[in-house]
Amino acid sequence: QSALTQPASVSGSPGQSITISCTGTSSDVGSYNLVSWYQQHPGKAPKLMIYEGSERPSGVSSRFSGSKSGNTASLMISGLQAEDEADYYCCSYAGSTSWVFGGGTKLTVL
Amino acid sequence: EVQLVESGGGLVQPGRSLRLSCAASGFSFDDYAMHWVRQAPGKGLEWVSGVSWNSGDIGYADSVKGRFTISRDNAKNSLYLQMNSLRAEDTALYYCAKCRDGSMVGAPDYWGQGTLVTVSS
């Protein structure tokens, strides 16, 4: 159960697009289409942004999208807005009734 | 509206026990799997444990296996985490989270506000 690997930080200017990567192994990200992404603002509970790799829950902006290639999943945010500044975590089912999170990425909107 | 309210956290000495509770409302609790996820101060999220809708499937992170026990009471719409042999590294905010479906392959979608556990002498 090793944590998934995310960049510690990414940044972008308003209106730009950014991508956050999430690298796992063939035992987790690579084996299942069950990667989810969470947004967490300081002092707040995480919010589900993407599930099953690319599905958006009701109410989540279409500016957020997800994809996967091999053992790496990605979260894309287009048209960056100030309120997107937050920590982002990926999470994957890892088999045998277990889940694993990434270390988190701090997004700064310049 | 989905509501998850955690309780039971506090300051506890190393080696002692604590039981966390999560009261659920606003959805059919017995239809959904549930998870516990923790976040150490200033750190990232760590999955702790999960249980399917009928307790038929249960899983634990290696870091808590053998020390923590998850359970649920569908009649009381409640989730529990019994934590024994607590260590300093268990200090964290513990979140209760509802899954998207009844099995443990469903992603956590709604989260409570958390209850803080501090393990220190």
Side-chain angles (χ1 to χ4, degrees):
Chain A
Q1 294 178 346
S2 298
L4 307 176
T5 300
Q6 298 181 233
S9 63
V10 298
S11 63
S13 299
Q16 287 187 333
S17 298
I18 63 96
T19 298
I20 300 173
S21 62
C22 169
T23 302
T25 70
S26 57
S27 297
D28 40 59
V29 175
S31 284
Y32 307 96
N33 195 29
L34 292 171
V35 173
S36 50
W37 289 90
Y38 299 88
Q39 176 191 66
Q40 186 180 36
H41 287 109
K44 300 295 187 182
K47 175 187 177 183
L48 179 65
M49 306 302 285
I50 296 288
Y51 66 96
E52 293 175 6
S54 60
E55 299 297 316
R56 265 191 318 275
S58 174
V60 172
S61 171
S62 58
R63 298 185 298 105
F64 292 83
S65 61
S67 64
K68 190 188 87 166
S69 177
N71 295 337
T72 298
S74 298
L75 173 71
M76 289 75 70
I77 309 175
S78 62
L80 268 179
Q81 299 179 1
E83 57 262 36
D84 298 333
E85 184 162 297
D87 293 327
Y88 290 85
Y89 295 90
C90 62
C91 179
S92 175
Y93 183 67
S96 301
T97 62
S98 70
W99 286 78
V100 61
F101 278 90
T105 298
K106 181 177 180 60
L107 169 62
T108 300
V109 180
L110 302 171
Chain B
E1 178 192 5
V2 172
Q3 285 200 321
L4 299 167
V5 180
E6 303 92 337
S7 61
L11 175 63
V12 61
Q13 293 179 328
R16 304 298 290 263
S17 299
L18 209 58
R19 189 194 196 207
L20 305 184
S21 298
C22 172
S25 61
F27 64 102
S28 297
F29 182 75
D30 53 7
D31 281 343
Y32 295 92
M34 299 292 294
H35 291 284
W36 287 101
V37 178
R38 69 185 180 184
Q39 187 168 33
K43 302 297 184 182
L45 300 172
E46 180 188 14
W47 178 78
V48 173
S49 181
V51 58
S52 62
W53 68 279
N54 64 351
S55 303
D57 287 319
I58 286 177
Y60 298 98
D62 289 343
S63 58
V64 307
K65 201 170 294 183
R67 299 187 300 122
F68 289 11
T69 301
I70 192 171
S71 62
R72 64 188 296 161
D73 186 335
N74 287 345
K76 295 183 177 180
N77 290 347
S78 293
L79 177 72
Y80 306 101
L81 186 68
Q82 177 67 42
M83 304 186 295
N84 298 333
S85 303
L86 282 162
R87 306 166 180 168
E89 54 264 37
D90 295 320
T91 294
L93 186 64
Y94 284 73
Y95 291 104
C96 161
K98 166 192 167 293
C99 291
R100 284 186 46 81
D101 60 39
S103 76
M104 281 195 59
V105 299
D109 55 0
Y110 287 93
W111 301 58
Q113 291 303 307
T115 186
L116 182 63
V117 172
T118 303
V119 184
S120 174
S121 54

